[in-house]
Amino acid sequence: MGKIAVLDDNMINMIAAGEVIERPASVVKELLENSIDAGASKIVVEVEEGGRKLIRIIDNGSGMDAADLALVFEPHATSKIRVSDDLAGIRTMGFRGEALASIGSVAKVAVASRTTEAIEAYTIENDCGDKSEVRPCSGDIGTTIEVRNIFYKLPARQKFLKTPKTEMGHITEHFTRIALAHDDLDLTLCHNGREVYRLLSGQGVKDRIQVLFGQSLSEDLLETSRAERGMQIRALLAKPVAARASGKYQYLFLNRRFIRDRFALHAVKEAYRGLMEPNKYPVVFLFMQMPPEDYDVNVHPTKTEVRFDNANLIHSQVLAVLRDKLLGSNLDVSGTAPSAKPFSPEHLSGFGAGQRKERIQQAMTDFFSKPASSQHQRKFSFSNTKRGEPLPQTAQSSAATALPDMPAFEQSESWHSKQFLQVHDSYILLQSEDGFVVVDQHALHERILYEQMCRRLREGNLPSQRLLMPHSFEVTNAQLEAYESQKELFVKLGIEVEPFGPNTLAIQTFPALLDKADPVEFVKEALDKLVEEGADTDSERLVHEVLDMAACKAAVKAGQSLSEEEMSQLLKDKDIVQRTSRCPHGRPTTISFSMKELEKQFKRTGF
Ligand code: ADP
Ligand code: MG
C-alpha cells in the first residue's frame, strides 16, 4: 500500500487554522472583516474572558441564505472571488475562503443569518469540524457568529493562550485597527459584559484616535494629505516629542487594510530623521489608497503584508508628504509648567480679576519693553555682554539664505521682541506674539548647524578650510579599516584625512561650519561610530548620524554666556532654518508659553 493519503477536510482546515487562527484576536479580526465585506454599517463585538470563552460578533450586513450557510464552513468557500483574474483586483477584506472553515475546526461555532429579502433566519453549527444541518431560527437581518471555547479540543494550542487580559489586549488592537480604517462604521467592543469602546460612525478618524489613544495624543496631531501619481495619502502625525520606544503606534493602512510594510515604514523613519532621537519610533496614522491592481495582498494568509508593483513610489510619496508637513509645522512643545498650588483667598483679596489681569499684562509689557540696560536692575540679568566673536554659523547662514533649492518654509510665528534675556547662561527668554518663548541655546544652535549642514550636503561637499598644521592621531586597526571603507563620507564632510605613518592618520582640512569642534576628537568619534555600525550600514544614515554628532560638538554649550549679538544672530538663524524646533537628539529647542497659559497659571481664568 502506498504511503500517501489525501488529508480529510477537517485536517486541511486545522492546518489552515494554524496559519490564520493564532489566538482569539485572529478570530475577531477575521469575523470583523467578514462583516465589513458583507456591507454592515453596525458591528458589535462581545468578548468573554479575553475571547477564550466566547467571541460573539453581531452585524447588520447582507446576511446569508440557507444555501450559503450550508457552505460557510467548507474550505475555500468564498463569495468574493470566482476566477483567477479576480485576484488581481481584490476589493474585499477576505477572499481566501478559509477563515470560517478554520475557526470551525478549532472551536464550537454557531452562525445565525438572515438576508434582507428573507422572512426568517437560518442557523448552522460547527463543533470542531462536527457540522449540523442548516435550520431555520428567529433573528434579525444580518449575521451573528458565536465562537466558544477556542482550541478546547487542542490542548497543545490552548496551552499557548495567555491570560484573558493579554488576549483581550490583542483583541483590542485588532479592533482598533479596524476602527481606524473604517470610521464610517458604528463599532462597539464589550468585554465581560462591560462596554470597552463605543465608536459612532461619522465621528471622524481624529475623534476615534482620541477615544482609542487619549486626548493628549490626538490634540497634537498634524494632519496632511496629498493625491499624486495614482496614490492618495492622508496622514495624521504626532509631533516628534510623542515618539515611542516601539513601532506599535505606527498605523499604516492600504485601502483600509492594516498593513506592515517595510518601504512605507522606512519612509516614515526618514521623514522624522533629525527631528528626534534616531532609536525612537514616531507615532503616525497613515492612510494610503491606490488601485488594488497595483499591489498583491495574497502574500501571506493574514494579509498584513503586501507586495507593491512599485515600492519606490510608495517610499518617495510617503516621505515627501510627511517631510513637507513636518518641516512646515511648528514642532515646538507648548509650555505646560507644573501647575501652581491654588492661591489662597487672601492672595486675591485687595484686587479683582480685572485688576489682576491688567497688573500682569502691565508687568509683562514693562519687562519686555525696557531697554536691556535697565534689565540689569531686575532680578534676572543679562550675561556680561562681552563683545565676543559672532557665532561660527553667521557667515554660512547668510550664504544659506541664498541657496537656490531651499525648501519653502512657512513663516514662523514672529518673535517681535528685540530684547532678550539669557538665563543662567543656558536659556534665552524672549517675547512672542502671544506670550513668551524659552530657547535652549545649545539645542537651537545644534539644530541650526544640523540643518545648515544638511542643506550644504544636498549641494555637494561641506566647504572646508585647510588646517595650519595637519592634526595627526593614532588609530586602531578597526578605526583604520572603518576609515578606508568610508573615505567618501569624510570627503563629503569636507574632512581630508591622510595616512601619516603606521596606524596614524592626519587631518588636513576641516569644515568651516564645525570650527568650534576639535578636529581630532571629532574624527576619532566619527570613526568609532563607523566601527560600531559595521561596514554594511546604510551610508545615508551614517552621514546623518555623523551630522548629529558634528552639530552637537560645534554648537554653543549650555553655561556659555553669549553676547547680545550672538543671541540675536542665533535667533535670526532660527528664522532661516525655520520649523526646526527639535534638536537632532529629540529635545525641544524652544518652549512657548502663551498668554493663555500664563493666565491659567496665575489662576486668572474662570473668574
Ligand atoms: P472569505 O472572507 O475569504 O470569503 P470566510 O471563510 O471568511 O472567507 O467566509 C466565507 C464566506 O462566508 C464569505 O465569502 C461570505 O460569503 C460568507 N460570510 C462570512 N461571514 C459573513 C457575514 N458576516 N455576513 C455575510 N456573509 C458572510
Ligand atoms: Mg473572511
Side-chain angles (χ1 to χ4, degrees):
M1 206 173 102
K3 291 180 200 145
I4 300 176
V6 175
L7 296 175
D8 70 26
D9 275 359
N10 203 47
M11 279 303 289
I12 292 170
N13 295 339
M14 283 170 67
I15 290 166
E19 287 191 294
V20 261
I21 308 302
E22 195 194 339
R23 56 185 355 139
S26 340
V27 172
V28 172
K29 169 186 181 276
E30 292 295 335
L31 297 187
L32 275 172
E33 290 185 351
N34 280 346
S35 297
I36 291 166
D37 284 344
S41 62
K42 199 172 162 184
I43 310 172
V44 178
V45 183
E46 293 171 1
V47 176
E48 281 174 29
E49 289 175 24
R52 299 177 55 145
K53 187 170 169 207
L54 171 75
I55 295 164
R56 181 188 291 123
I57 308 244
I58 307 156
D59 74 44
N60 65 351
S62 59
M64 287 169 276
D65 60 20
D68 279 346
L69 273 181
L71 290 174
V72 85
F73 292 114
E74 296 304 314
H76 316 301
T78 178
S79 55
K80 296 164 197 175
I81 55 174
R82 296 257 182 258
V83 291
S84 63
D85 277 355
D86 293 345
L87 259 183
I90 300 288
R91 285 174 164 76
T92 49
M93 305 291 290
F95 58 87
R96 296 166 62 111
E98 61 191 358
L100 278 174
S102 300
I103 297 166
S105 73
V106 297
K108 190 168 165 32
V109 184
V111 183
S113 197
R114 185 177 141 196
T115 61
T116 348
E117 309 83 47
I119 47 163
E120 60 182 346
Y122 291 89
T123 179
I124 182 171
E125 276 146 42
N126 186 351
D127 186 356
C128 294
D130 185 5
K131 273 171 276 184
S132 74
E133 297 290 297
V134 175
R135 290 186 307 263
C137 68
S138 66
D140 292 332
I141 291 171
T143 304
T144 296
I145 303 190
E146 284 180 4
V147 178
R148 289 179 190 275
N149 307 337
I150 185 168
F151 302 143
Y152 81 103
K153 285 192 181 169
L154 300 163
R157 298 207 59 191
Q158 199 176 30
K159 208 173 66 196
F160 282 101
L161 292 179
K162 300 285 189 287
T163 61
K165 190 164 173 263
T166 303
E167 295 301 338
M168 191 58 202
H170 291 287
I171 289 175
T172 307
E173 177 60 23
H174 281 285
F175 179 88
T176 298
R177 294 173 185 176
I178 298 263
L180 290 172
H182 298 270
D183 59 354
D184 52 337
L185 303 182
D186 271 354
L187 292 169
T188 306
L189 177 64
C190 301
H191 190 210
N192 295 337
R194 202 175 53 84
E195 194 176 281
V196 184
Y197 291 121
R198 173 91 208 272
L199 303 168
L200 299 177
S201 65
Q203 113 197 103
V205 73
K206 208 162 170 174
D207 287 338
R208 281 209 168 169
I209 292 172
Q210 180 182 329
V211 176
L212 296 163
F213 299 95
Q215 174 151 11
S216 61
L217 179 76
S218 76
E219 72 184 359
D220 248 7
L221 289 174
L222 307 166
E223 204 169 343
T224 181
S225 62
R226 185 178 297 184
E228 214 174 72
R229 304 181 61 193
M231 197 182 167
Q232 267 168 274
I233 298 178
R234 176 174 180 217
L236 291 111
L237 309 171
K239 292 184 177 179
V241 69
R244 306 290 165 110
S246 89
K248 186 170 181 287
Y249 298 95
Q250 303 194 321
Y251 286 90
L252 267 51
F253 300 92
L254 177 61
N255 291 349
R256 300 182 157 213
R257 188 191 299 280
F258 175 88
I259 60 161
R260 291 314 286 170
D261 177 66
R262 63 197 174 93
F263 293 98
L265 288 172
H266 185 264
V268 168
K269 191 171 174 221
E270 287 295 288
Y272 279 80
R273 186 210 283 287
L275 302 175
M276 51 177 244
E277 290 173 52
N279 54 352
K280 287 229 175 155
Y281 297 81
V283 176
V284 297
F285 301 90
L286 195 65
F287 302 89
M288 301 178 279
Q289 301 270 330
M290 64 189 323
E293 289 76 13
D294 293 352
Y295 63 91
D296 184 5
V297 283
N298 194 20
V299 182
H300 188 267
T302 58
K303 310 184 200 81
T304 42
E305 249 177 79
V306 296
R307 199 174 289 131
F308 290 108
D309 292 355
N310 185 353
N312 288 334
L313 174 74
I314 310 301
H315 191 272
S316 62
Q317 289 297 103
V318 170
L319 178 57
V321 174
L322 268 55
R323 191 76 185 160
D324 283 358
K325 184 65 192 177
L326 289 169
L327 291 182
S329 300
N330 180 5
L331 302 176
D332 289 349
V333 192
S334 50
T336 39
S339 57
K341 282 218 172 83
F343 284 103
S344 57
E346 52 271 29
H347 283 109
L348 298 176
S349 64
F351 47 89
Q355 278 168 291
R356 276 175 55 81
K357 190 173 174 145
E358 268 165 42
R359 281 166 53 112
I360 294 168
Q361 223 146 41
Q362 192 53 48
M364 291 266 307
T365 330
D366 283 356
F367 182 83
F368 284 111
S369 60
K370 290 265 163 59
S373 57
S374 68
Q375 307 274 349
H376 281 284
Q377 278 97 59
R378 295 176 177 270
K379 253 210 186 122
F380 308 104
S381 69
F382 267 112
S383 63
N384 327 328
T385 41
K386 69 166 194 302
R387 310 285 143 187
E389 292 165 279
L391 291 173
Q393 86 285 354
T394 314
Q396 305 297 334
S397 55
S398 32
T401 9
L403 295 181
D405 69 336
M406 238 180 59
F409 292 108
E410 277 171 33
Q411 208 44 57
S412 70
E413 91 264 31
S414 58
W415 290 355
H416 313 283
S417 159
K418 294 282 166 280
Q419 258 98 48
F420 25 77
L421 174 70
Q422 193 184 24
V423 186
H424 292 291
D425 287 350
S426 300
Y427 300 98
I428 304 170
L429 206 66
L430 76 160
Q431 182 172 331
S432 65
E433 200 158 3
D434 74 329
F436 70 96
V437 185
V438 184
V439 176
D440 177 330
Q441 65 186 41
H442 170 72
L444 176 60
H445 192 207
E446 183 179 41
R447 184 77 203 135
I448 289 168
L449 288 175
Y450 177 84
E451 283 298 319
Q452 284 174 342
M453 288 188 286
C454 283
R455 279 192 209 169
R456 282 294 171 131
L457 277 179
R458 267 179 245 134
E459 313 243 295
N461 302 339
L462 290 187
S464 64
Q465 52 200 23
R466 190 152 290 276
L467 300 171
L468 285 178
M469 294 262 291
H471 292 226
S472 65
F473 59 101
E474 266 187 61
V475 286
T476 63
N477 285 341
Q479 284 173 327
L480 195 60
E481 260 174 54
Y483 166 69
E484 293 292 340
S485 67
Q486 295 286 349
K487 266 187 189 158
E488 273 302 292
L489 174 66
F490 289 96
V491 173
K492 265 191 135 168
L493 293 171
I495 303 175
E496 211 176 280
V497 182
E498 271 163 19
F500 204 76
N503 278 342
T504 307
L505 292 174
I507 307 167
Q508 310 283 355
T509 67
F510 202 65
L513 269 172
L514 299 184
D515 67 353
K516 279 268 161 86
D518 176 65
V520 170
E521 195 192 318
F522 176 79
V523 173
K524 269 188 168 172
E525 250 181 70
L527 288 175
D528 284 341
K529 181 137 245 141
L530 300 184
V531 172
E532 195 184 302
E533 297 274 339
D536 48 322
T537 31
D538 165 36
S539 70
E540 169 85 0
R541 204 183 89 207
L542 221 54
V543 170
H544 286 273
E545 276 183 18
V546 173
L547 288 188
D548 280 357
M549 208 181 94
C552 181
K553 286 204 174 305
V556 296
K557 303 284 178 295
Q560 192 171 332
S561 87
L562 300 178
S563 70
E564 259 177 81
E565 284 86 352
E566 287 172 324
M567 285 192 269
S568 120
Q569 188 61 52
L570 190 60
L571 299 171
K572 228 186 269 157
D573 285 350
K574 148 110 184 174
D575 286 338
I576 296 168
V577 195
Q578 207 27 263
R579 297 307 172 191
T580 51
S581 54
R582 329 218 96 232
C583 78
H585 304 299
R587 286 181 290 112
T589 62
T590 54
I591 299 181
S592 0
F593 291 84
S594 62
M595 287 300 284
K596 228 164 140 193
E597 182 69 27
L598 288 174
E599 277 158 26
K600 216 159 83 197
Q601 293 297 326
F602 283 113
K603 306 286 163 201
R604 281 188 35 239
T605 45
F607 280 99

